[in-house]
Amino acid sequence: MKARQATAQDLRQVFSDLAQRCLDEVETAGYTLEKAKSIFRGLRRDGRLWALELNGEAIGLIGFEESEAVGAPFIGTYFFGRERFFSPDVPSVRFGKRFMRAMQRQFGNLPMVSMCYGNHPKIERWYRLMGYRLAETFDVQRNFVLDPADLS
């Protein structure tokens, strides 16, 4: 598995074949698919969107955006995947652990926040294996945080 800057073709490929769990998250979060597409197009235009590739095929998209809450800067993440991304034979968690730390360094070693609206029973485990911690829960929204790496 590898990551590279996303292309318009990657957006078309992933959005035309989104995993049902991603579609469910969009609905649970109160978004529309059109709004999500618009966000991802903007991330790609700004050079903040990566295609997650397996055997030359884009199976996921992940974007990053610097933000601020209560005066504290952080990196927000956006993710969509095809069913293939979630297959047990795809090393997505192992890859994610390395990739997310690399992106965190690239964006100034700020806390990385991933909001999750999914209900899969292994979501918390997957995030924990990537180095995240569950920071807070608001009804169906869970916020996972990858704290800054100790660079000493």
Side-chain angles (χ1 to χ4, degrees):
M1 198 166 180
K2 69 178 190 173
R4 58 172 169 70
Q5 290 282 209
T7 65
Q9 172 65 23
D10 296 325
L11 279 165
R12 284 190 295 277
Q13 190 173 33
V14 173
F15 271 94
S16 69
D17 187 30
L18 281 176
Q20 186 61 50
R21 66 181 79 189
C22 293
L23 293 169
D24 293 345
E25 280 201 61
V26 168
E27 183 178 327
T28 301
Y31 279 86
T32 65
L33 196 52
E34 281 309 310
K35 175 67 175 166
K37 284 180 185 178
S38 176
I39 291 168
F40 276 71
R41 284 185 199 113
L43 290 168
R44 187 185 77 77
R45 183 184 58 247
D46 295 341
R48 296 174 172 273
L49 186 67
W50 279 256
L52 305 176
E53 188 180 272
L54 183 69
N55 301 326
E57 177 183 15
I59 60 172
L61 297 168
I62 189 160
F64 303 93
E65 185 173 60
E66 293 164 332
S67 193
E68 190 175 300
V70 195
F74 68 92
I75 306 159
T77 66
Y78 298 86
F79 171 80
F80 273 126
R82 300 167 69 189
E83 281 302 333
R84 180 76 180 109
F85 180 86
F86 299 101
S87 296
D89 64 319
V90 174
S92 55
V93 172
R94 194 171 6 156
F95 173 81
K97 183 175 185 170
R98 290 186 316 273
F99 178 70
M100 297 307 276
R101 282 294 184 193
M103 291 291 94
Q104 189 175 47
R105 284 188 302 274
Q106 184 171 326
F107 287 100
N109 198 33
L110 296 172
M112 191 171 284
V113 177
S114 297
M115 294 186 309
C116 179
Y117 295 87
N119 60 8
H120 192 283
K122 292 188 178 181
I123 286 174
E124 286 189 40
R125 179 177 183 270
W126 293 331
Y127 274 104
R128 190 175 60 254
L129 289 171
M130 286 191 295
Y132 281 78
R133 64 178 169 81
L134 178 60
E136 52 197 357
T137 301
F138 302 104
D139 194 25
V140 296
Q141 175 188 336
R142 289 176 285 174
N143 292 339
F144 294 91
V145 175
L146 182 62
D147 291 310
D150 181 8
L151 301 176
S152 58

